[in-house]
Amino acid sequence: MKSQFFVIMQQVGRSFMLPIALLPAAGLLLGIGGALSNPNTIIAYPVLDVAVMQGIFTVMTKTGVVVFANLPLLFAIGVAIGFAKQERGTAALAAAIGFLVMHQTINAVLGLQGNLVTEGLASVGQGSVLGIQTLEMGVFGGIIAGFITAALHNKFYDVELPQALAFFGGTRFVPIVVSFTFLFVGYIATIVWPFVQTGIEGLGSLVLSSGLAGTFLYGFIERSLIPFGLHHVFYLPFWQTAVGGTLEVGGHVYVGTQNIFFAQLADHGTGPFYEGTSRFMAGKMPFMIFGLPAAALAMYHTSMLKHRKVVGGILFSAALTAFITGITEPIEFLFLFVAPLLYVVHALFAGLSFMLMDYFNVTVGQTFSGGIIDLTLFGILQGQDRTNWMMIPVVGVFYSVIYYFGFRFIIMKFDLATPGRRDEVVDAADVSSSGSETEKVADSVIDALGGLSNLKNVDACITRLRITVVSAANIDMDKLKAVSGGKHHIIGNGIQIVYGTRSDNIKNRINVILGSK
């Protein structure tokens, strides 16, 4: 039961990452455009007051906003793709159709009931989705549409109809059955969703009123779920739904911390950013930009001299990735399984980081992680008065110290097997990212996991392969350890292997091999 739950939740996390992966590009456009077209920035830097430049910045802002405004639809498509077994393009199209039919049905039913309003939408839980006035379901609406579509798609994508109706069989049948199904889904939503909204808003109020202790717990849990790849499932409600708060910006009501932050970013009349930003976002930056690179230095200094050349390259690459992008799995998985005590300490430090950012009211937002890029765009460029970003390097210096000396002390005290402290191979999985090496890794992964016939589903998020096998008994653990460098995690038939940003290329290669067979 536990293993099946992990496999399902692994698929959920992977599906969520499809739309989330779009956010950095949208965030860059919105962050640069919003910051450099802000009247206060123009006053401070008159050189920016050029019509052509401001036109470009305005276009960048609006193109960034459109992605965040349509995240529910993107989640519907992403979840359907993530759970579809075959013909994923058809699943994506069907999810979009189902999403539109659901909201248009809600609009029609509310109209027939006389409950469709044109003013005060927030007070009755209504909003506009792709121009359709409907219930404000946010990304939950998209996730629901994606799950239902995927279930229907997997059941009917290869259905065979009688000869007279054969044209409508197979993948053509999926959008048809989805369309009719979502007529009922939309109707049911008008009955059930108002109660769900009340519950979500109550939970959000509870979280927001729980003070610094609640913020610490949020940060601790978020980091604790990293090993299982389920952290996306945990933080998403805080970022995208009323659990993370509700606020009116520029005459429109937004729910979820990230949606509120980017709405304020695009609104030049906004002063300090929403308080939820300090609780659910800014806390990542001190330990990602300052803490983990210092931990990497501690692991380097505690490694054996004869291994330092190899260890140094691995740790430097992982630390630089965390510093620039906020992608931390490459460094976290270097000590997670060989020294779990260090990871517990790391999770506690992360919780403390979130709590400190909340205490100092540091309202620096982010796209999906907390590296120096996001700090620059959503902190420094937005100004000290709006974000109090200067507390991040202040706290960061403190974090560099406690991570370095804390990790070094624990490693030496308990003789932990961090990279380079034993005579075995330091990291067999750390090969170059060339095409030939990617093919070799893909072939080795297939061999280690029991061959092509044992692979049920192969996918990847930003930093790790996510594979479901037919039977875990067919896995060669020695080969898996060699090809993963020990950076793997297995629960039941679900396997995750951390390859950093190469993961997607390796996944593609494995799927090409699967397809050719």
Side-chain angles (χ1 to χ4, degrees):
M1 186 65 155
K2 178 182 177 182
S3 62
Q4 184 62 27
F5 173 79
F6 176 76
V7 170
I8 294 173
M9 294 308 291
Q10 179 172 256
Q11 284 184 287
V12 172
R14 182 189 67 231
S15 300
F16 286 177
M17 279 310 300
L18 291 174
I20 289 174
L22 300 173
L23 300 187
L28 284 169
L29 291 169
L30 184 52
I32 296 173
L36 299 183
S37 64
N38 189 295
N40 294 325
T41 305
I42 297 172
I43 292 173
Y45 303 99
V47 68
L48 298 174
D49 192 12
V50 178
V52 174
M53 292 176 62
Q54 288 304 311
I56 293 173
F57 296 147
T58 299
V59 171
M60 291 175 67
T61 301
K62 292 186 176 181
T63 52
V65 166
V66 75
V67 174
F68 289 96
N70 292 292
L71 273 180
L73 174 61
L74 298 178
F75 269 91
I77 295 171
V79 170
I81 292 174
F83 277 86
K85 295 177 181 178
Q86 298 288 338
E87 300 290 345
R88 291 181 173 181
T90 301
L93 177 61
I97 293 171
F99 181 81
L100 293 171
V101 170
M102 178 180 70
H103 281 293
Q104 192 61 65
T105 300
I106 293 172
N107 175 277
V109 173
L110 290 176
L112 292 171
Q113 293 174 342
N115 294 328
L116 201 62
V117 298
T118 56
E119 295 181 3
L121 298 183
S123 64
V124 293
Q126 295 182 21
S128 179
V129 176
L130 296 171
I132 304 169
Q133 188 176 319
T134 179
L135 291 174
E136 182 59 75
M137 300 176 72
V139 297
F140 278 146
I143 292 169
I144 291 169
F147 277 135
I148 296 175
T149 298
L152 293 170
H153 173 83
N154 290 335
K155 184 174 180 62
F156 294 113
Y157 77 89
D158 58 352
V159 68
E160 294 184 8
L161 299 178
Q163 187 62 35
L165 300 174
F167 175 80
F168 299 104
T171 56
R172 296 186 184 92
F173 187 71
V174 175
I176 296 173
V177 71
V178 164
S179 297
F180 282 98
T181 299
F182 276 91
L183 291 173
F184 295 98
V185 173
Y187 175 72
I188 294 171
T190 62
I191 300 172
V192 175
W193 192 255
F195 296 101
V196 176
Q197 281 180 320
T198 301
I200 291 173
E201 290 169 1
L203 178 61
S205 298
L206 178 63
V207 170
L208 291 173
S209 64
S210 59
L212 295 175
T215 306
F216 172 85
L217 187 62
Y218 170 86
F220 176 76
I221 293 174
E222 193 270 344
R223 277 301 99 179
S224 298
L225 290 175
I226 285 282
F228 309 100
L230 303 180
H231 50 298
H232 312 303
V233 181
F234 174 71
Y235 71 67
L236 189 71
F238 294 92
W239 283 22
Q240 292 295 327
T241 77
V243 174
T246 302
L247 190 70
E248 181 177 327
V249 181
H252 298 279
V253 175
Y254 295 87
V255 297
T257 293
Q258 189 176 58
N259 292 327
I260 293 171
F261 174 77
F262 281 106
Q264 290 182 317
L265 192 65
D267 180 45
H268 294 157
T270 299
F273 289 109
Y274 172 60
E275 62 174 334
T277 311
S278 68
R279 303 199 66 186
F280 308 126
M281 288 188 165
K284 288 185 176 183
M285 294 180 180
F287 70 84
M288 287 182 172
I289 299 174
F290 297 93
L292 284 173
L297 183 62
M299 287 188 281
Y300 174 78
H301 283 158
T302 54
S303 65
M304 299 171 68
L305 287 174
K306 62 182 178 180
H307 289 321
R308 285 192 179 178
K309 183 176 181 180
V310 176
V311 168
I314 297 169
L315 289 172
F316 177 78
S317 175
L320 189 64
T321 300
F323 177 82
I324 294 176
T325 68
I327 295 174
T328 57
E329 284 94 335
I331 189 170
E332 288 167 328
F333 273 73
L334 285 174
F335 63 84
L336 170 61
F337 297 115
V338 297
L341 174 61
L342 284 179
Y343 200 86
V344 173
V345 173
H346 168 51
L348 290 171
F349 284 168
L352 178 62
S353 179
F354 275 90
M355 188 178 75
L356 289 172
M357 293 300 96
D358 185 20
Y359 178 78
F360 291 116
N361 193 32
V362 179
T363 55
V364 179
Q366 57 188 255
T367 50
F368 76 96
S369 203
I372 193 67
I373 294 175
D374 279 6
L375 172 59
T376 301
L377 288 176
F378 308 123
I380 298 173
L381 290 180
Q382 308 309 320
Q384 170 69 8
D385 292 341
R386 301 179 78 191
T387 63
N388 196 25
W389 68 268
M390 290 184 182
M391 286 306 303
I392 291 177
V394 171
V395 173
V397 171
F398 165 71
Y399 259 65
S400 294
V401 173
I402 65 170
Y403 262 85
Y404 177 80
F405 288 103
F407 268 55
R408 182 163 184 158
F409 172 78
I410 294 171
I411 291 169
M412 299 299 292
K413 175 71 176 178
F414 298 100
D415 191 25
L416 300 180
T418 48
R421 287 184 55 77
R422 298 290 186 270
D423 283 326
E424 63 265 19
V425 178
V426 176
D427 191 350
D430 190 69
V431 295
S432 71
S433 58
S434 67
S436 60
E437 290 293 350
T438 297
E439 292 175 7
K440 291 178 183 178
V441 174
D443 291 337
S444 298
V445 169
I446 293 171
D447 183 44
L449 296 182
L452 291 173
S453 61
N454 198 43
L455 301 186
K456 187 176 181 180
N457 183 275
V458 181
D459 217 313
C461 63
I462 294 174
T463 58
R464 65 186 84 186
L465 282 176
R466 296 170 179 261
I467 301 173
T468 304
V469 296
V470 176
S471 174
N474 295 329
I475 298 174
D476 187 318
M477 297 306 299
D478 291 333
K479 290 182 179 179
L480 179 58
K481 182 178 180 181
V483 76
S484 71
K487 295 186 289 186
H488 65 268
H489 187 67
I490 302 176
I491 295 182
N493 292 336
I495 298 97
Q496 295 179 3
I497 308 175
V498 176
Y499 282 117
T501 52
R502 297 186 298 132
S503 299
D504 198 57
N505 288 336
I506 297 171
K507 173 211 72 175
N508 290 336
R509 178 59 190 168
I510 294 176
N511 281 325
V512 166
I513 297 172
L514 280 170
S516 66
K517 301 296 182 180

PDB file of all heavy atoms in Angstrom, residues 479-498:
ATOM      1  N   LYS A 479      24.511  -2.915  -9.735  1.00  0.00           N
ATOM      2  CA  LYS A 479      24.601  -2.111 -10.957  1.00  0.00           C
ATOM      3  C   LYS A 479      23.932  -0.754 -10.767  1.00  0.00           C
ATOM      4  O   LYS A 479      24.420   0.272 -11.266  1.00  0.00           O
ATOM      5  CB  LYS A 479      23.968  -2.852 -12.133  1.00  0.00           C
ATOM      6  CG  LYS A 479      24.751  -4.063 -12.604  1.00  0.00           C
ATOM      7  CD  LYS A 479      24.072  -4.717 -13.805  1.00  0.00           C
ATOM      8  CE  LYS A 479      24.870  -5.924 -14.301  1.00  0.00           C
ATOM      9  NZ  LYS A 479      24.196  -6.576 -15.456  1.00  0.00           N
ATOM     10  N   LEU A 480      22.794  -0.740 -10.049  1.00  0.00           N
ATOM     11  CA  LEU A 480      22.089   0.525  -9.816  1.00  0.00           C
ATOM     12  C   LEU A 480      22.941   1.467  -8.981  1.00  0.00           C
ATOM     13  O   LEU A 480      23.012   2.674  -9.259  1.00  0.00           O
ATOM     14  CB  LEU A 480      20.753   0.262  -9.124  1.00  0.00           C
ATOM     15  CG  LEU A 480      19.916   1.502  -8.787  1.00  0.00           C
ATOM     16  CD1 LEU A 480      19.605   2.306 -10.047  1.00  0.00           C
ATOM     17  CD2 LEU A 480      18.631   1.115  -8.072  1.00  0.00           C
ATOM     18  N   LYS A 481      23.598   0.939  -7.965  1.00  0.00           N
ATOM     19  CA  LYS A 481      24.472   1.773  -7.134  1.00  0.00           C
ATOM     20  C   LYS A 481      25.614   2.348  -7.962  1.00  0.00           C
ATOM     21  O   LYS A 481      25.990   3.511  -7.804  1.00  0.00           O
ATOM     22  CB  LYS A 481      25.022   0.964  -5.967  1.00  0.00           C
ATOM     23  CG  LYS A 481      25.903   1.787  -5.037  1.00  0.00           C
ATOM     24  CD  LYS A 481      26.386   0.961  -3.854  1.00  0.00           C
ATOM     25  CE  LYS A 481      27.275   1.809  -2.947  1.00  0.00           C
ATOM     26  NZ  LYS A 481      27.791   1.036  -1.781  1.00  0.00           N
ATOM     27  N   ALA A 482      26.145   1.521  -8.882  1.00  0.00           N
ATOM     28  CA  ALA A 482      27.261   1.983  -9.705  1.00  0.00           C
ATOM     29  C   ALA A 482      26.821   3.084 -10.668  1.00  0.00           C
ATOM     30  O   ALA A 482      27.504   4.103 -10.816  1.00  0.00           O
ATOM     31  CB  ALA A 482      27.845   0.809 -10.488  1.00  0.00           C
ATOM     32  N   VAL A 483      25.683   2.899 -11.313  1.00  0.00           N
ATOM     33  CA  VAL A 483      25.254   3.871 -12.322  1.00  0.00           C
ATOM     34  C   VAL A 483      24.667   5.127 -11.699  1.00  0.00           C
ATOM     35  O   VAL A 483      24.653   6.194 -12.317  1.00  0.00           O
ATOM     36  CB  VAL A 483      24.229   3.224 -13.291  1.00  0.00           C
ATOM     37  CG1 VAL A 483      22.859   3.086 -12.653  1.00  0.00           C
ATOM     38  CG2 VAL A 483      24.134   4.028 -14.584  1.00  0.00           C
ATOM     39  N   SER A 484      24.192   5.042 -10.455  1.00  0.00           N
ATOM     40  CA  SER A 484      23.610   6.215  -9.791  1.00  0.00           C
ATOM     41  C   SER A 484      24.595   6.901  -8.857  1.00  0.00           C
ATOM     42  O   SER A 484      24.312   7.997  -8.361  1.00  0.00           O
ATOM     43  CB  SER A 484      22.376   5.800  -8.991  1.00  0.00           C
ATOM     44  OG  SER A 484      22.745   5.040  -7.855  1.00  0.00           O
ATOM     45  N   GLY A 485      25.729   6.257  -8.607  1.00  0.00           N
ATOM     46  CA  GLY A 485      26.662   6.812  -7.638  1.00  0.00           C
ATOM     47  C   GLY A 485      26.077   6.834  -6.246  1.00  0.00           C
ATOM     48  O   GLY A 485      26.488   7.635  -5.398  1.00  0.00           O
ATOM     49  N   GLY A 486      25.102   5.975  -5.986  1.00  0.00           N
ATOM     50  CA  GLY A 486      24.439   5.930  -4.684  1.00  0.00           C
ATOM     51  C   GLY A 486      23.323   6.936  -4.524  1.00  0.00           C
ATOM     52  O   GLY A 486      22.634   6.953  -3.509  1.00  0.00           O
ATOM     53  N   LYS A 487      23.120   7.783  -5.549  1.00  0.00           N
ATOM     54  CA  LYS A 487      22.097   8.835  -5.444  1.00  0.00           C
ATOM     55  C   LYS A 487      20.779   8.340  -6.046  1.00  0.00           C
ATOM     56  O   LYS A 487      20.314   8.819  -7.078  1.00  0.00           O
ATOM     57  CB  LYS A 487      22.577  10.110  -6.132  1.00  0.00           C
ATOM     58  CG  LYS A 487      23.789  10.734  -5.447  1.00  0.00           C
ATOM     59  CD  LYS A 487      24.175  12.068  -6.050  1.00  0.00           C
ATOM     60  CE  LYS A 487      24.771  11.942  -7.422  1.00  0.00           C
ATOM     61  NZ  LYS A 487      25.274  13.224  -7.948  1.00  0.00           N
ATOM     62  N   HIS A 488      20.207   7.348  -5.386  1.00  0.00           N
ATOM     63  CA  HIS A 488      18.933   6.817  -5.842  1.00  0.00           C
ATOM     64  C   HIS A 488      18.041   6.534  -4.638  1.00  0.00           C
ATOM     65  O   HIS A 488      18.517   6.457  -3.495  1.00  0.00           O
ATOM     66  CB  HIS A 488      19.134   5.546  -6.673  1.00  0.00           C
ATOM     67  CG  HIS A 488      19.717   4.400  -5.885  1.00  0.00           C
ATOM     68  ND1 HIS A 488      21.077   4.176  -5.809  1.00  0.00           N
ATOM     69  CD2 HIS A 488      19.136   3.436  -5.135  1.00  0.00           C
ATOM     70  CE1 HIS A 488      21.302   3.120  -5.046  1.00  0.00           C
ATOM     71  NE2 HIS A 488      20.143   2.653  -4.620  1.00  0.00           N
ATOM     72  N   HIS A 489      16.758   6.382  -4.922  1.00  0.00           N
ATOM     73  CA  HIS A 489      15.785   6.160  -3.860  1.00  0.00           C
ATOM     74  C   HIS A 489      14.723   5.218  -4.397  1.00  0.00           C
ATOM     75  O   HIS A 489      14.202   5.419  -5.497  1.00  0.00           O
ATOM     76  CB  HIS A 489      15.158   7.496  -3.441  1.00  0.00           C
ATOM     77  CG  HIS A 489      14.270   7.391  -2.242  1.00  0.00           C
ATOM     78  ND1 HIS A 489      14.745   7.097  -0.997  1.00  0.00           N
ATOM     79  CD2 HIS A 489      12.928   7.530  -2.108  1.00  0.00           C
ATOM     80  CE1 HIS A 489      13.744   7.078  -0.137  1.00  0.00           C
ATOM     81  NE2 HIS A 489      12.631   7.326  -0.789  1.00  0.00           N
ATOM     82  N   ILE A 490      14.397   4.159  -3.631  1.00  0.00           N
ATOM     83  CA  ILE A 490      13.428   3.159  -4.073  1.00  0.00           C
ATOM     84  C   ILE A 490      12.362   2.966  -3.001  1.00  0.00           C
ATOM     85  O   ILE A 490      12.679   2.767  -1.827  1.00  0.00           O
ATOM     86  CB  ILE A 490      14.099   1.799  -4.350  1.00  0.00           C
ATOM     87  CG1 ILE A 490      15.207   1.930  -5.405  1.00  0.00           C
ATOM     88  CG2 ILE A 490      13.069   0.767  -4.799  1.00  0.00           C
ATOM     89  CD1 ILE A 490      15.968   0.636  -5.645  1.00  0.00           C
ATOM     90  N   ILE A 491      11.105   3.052  -3.409  1.00  0.00           N
ATOM     91  CA  ILE A 491       9.988   2.637  -2.565  1.00  0.00           C
ATOM     92  C   ILE A 491       9.058   1.814  -3.442  1.00  0.00           C
ATOM     93  O   ILE A 491       8.490   2.332  -4.409  1.00  0.00           O
ATOM     94  CB  ILE A 491       9.226   3.822  -1.954  1.00  0.00           C
ATOM     95  CG1 ILE A 491      10.117   4.594  -0.982  1.00  0.00           C
ATOM     96  CG2 ILE A 491       7.970   3.336  -1.229  1.00  0.00           C
ATOM     97  CD1 ILE A 491       9.424   5.744  -0.290  1.00  0.00           C
ATOM     98  N   GLY A 492       8.924   0.526  -3.109  1.00  0.00           N
ATOM     99  CA  GLY A 492       8.089  -0.330  -3.931  1.00  0.00           C
ATOM    100  C   GLY A 492       8.653  -0.443  -5.336  1.00  0.00           C
ATOM    101  O   GLY A 492       9.824  -0.750  -5.545  1.00  0.00           O
ATOM    102  N   ASN A 493       7.822  -0.148  -6.323  1.00  0.00           N
ATOM    103  CA  ASN A 493       8.240  -0.197  -7.727  1.00  0.00           C
ATOM    104  C   ASN A 493       8.618   1.174  -8.266  1.00  0.00           C
ATOM    105  O   ASN A 493       8.814   1.330  -9.474  1.00  0.00           O
ATOM    106  CB  ASN A 493       7.127  -0.802  -8.588  1.00  0.00           C
ATOM    107  CG  ASN A 493       6.913  -2.272  -8.285  1.00  0.00           C
ATOM    108  OD1 ASN A 493       7.805  -2.944  -7.796  1.00  0.00           O
ATOM    109  ND2 ASN A 493       5.717  -2.768  -8.555  1.00  0.00           N
ATOM    110  N   GLY A 494       8.696   2.172  -7.406  1.00  0.00           N
ATOM    111  CA  GLY A 494       9.083   3.519  -7.823  1.00  0.00           C
ATOM    112  C   GLY A 494      10.547   3.787  -7.527  1.00  0.00           C
ATOM    113  O   GLY A 494      11.011   3.569  -6.404  1.00  0.00           O
ATOM    114  N   ILE A 495      11.278   4.240  -8.540  1.00  0.00           N
ATOM    115  CA  ILE A 495      12.719   4.520  -8.401  1.00  0.00           C
ATOM    116  C   ILE A 495      12.997   5.946  -8.837  1.00  0.00           C
ATOM    117  O   ILE A 495      12.478   6.403  -9.863  1.00  0.00           O
ATOM    118  CB  ILE A 495      13.573   3.552  -9.254  1.00  0.00           C
ATOM    119  CG1 ILE A 495      13.378   2.118  -8.795  1.00  0.00           C
ATOM    120  CG2 ILE A 495      15.057   3.924  -9.170  1.00  0.00           C
ATOM    121  CD1 ILE A 495      12.373   1.359  -9.604  1.00  0.00           C
ATOM    122  N   GLN A 496      13.813   6.641  -8.061  1.00  0.00           N
ATOM    123  CA  GLN A 496      14.291   7.966  -8.441  1.00  0.00           C
ATOM    124  C   GLN A 496      15.820   7.934  -8.446  1.00  0.00           C
ATOM    125  O   GLN A 496      16.437   7.408  -7.525  1.00  0.00           O
ATOM    126  CB  GLN A 496      13.807   9.034  -7.471  1.00  0.00           C
ATOM    127  CG  GLN A 496      12.299   9.227  -7.464  1.00  0.00           C
ATOM    128  CD  GLN A 496      11.865  10.281  -6.469  1.00  0.00           C
ATOM    129  OE1 GLN A 496      12.691  10.918  -5.824  1.00  0.00           O
ATOM    130  NE2 GLN A 496      10.561  10.463  -6.334  1.00  0.00           N
ATOM    131  N   ILE A 497      16.406   8.472  -9.499  1.00  0.00           N
ATOM    132  CA  ILE A 497      17.868   8.569  -9.603  1.00  0.00           C
ATOM    133  C   ILE A 497      18.217  10.021  -9.900  1.00  0.00           C
ATOM    134  O   ILE A 497      17.708  10.600 -10.862  1.00  0.00           O
ATOM    135  CB  ILE A 497      18.422   7.664 -10.721  1.00  0.00           C
ATOM    136  CG1 ILE A 497      17.918   6.230 -10.575  1.00  0.00           C
ATOM    137  CG2 ILE A 497      19.948   7.686 -10.702  1.00  0.00           C
ATOM    138  CD1 ILE A 497      18.342   5.310 -11.710  1.00  0.00           C
ATOM    139  N   VAL A 498      19.067  10.596  -9.083  1.00  0.00           N
ATOM    140  CA  VAL A 498      19.414  12.011  -9.231  1.00  0.00           C
ATOM    141  C   VAL A 498      20.598  12.155 -10.184  1.00  0.00           C
ATOM    142  O   VAL A 498      21.707  11.695  -9.896  1.00  0.00           O
ATOM    143  CB  VAL A 498      19.747  12.644  -7.871  1.00  0.00           C
ATOM    144  CG1 VAL A 498      20.197  14.092  -8.063  1.00  0.00           C
ATOM    145  CG2 VAL A 498      18.538  12.584  -6.953  1.00  0.00           C
TER     146      VAL A 498
END
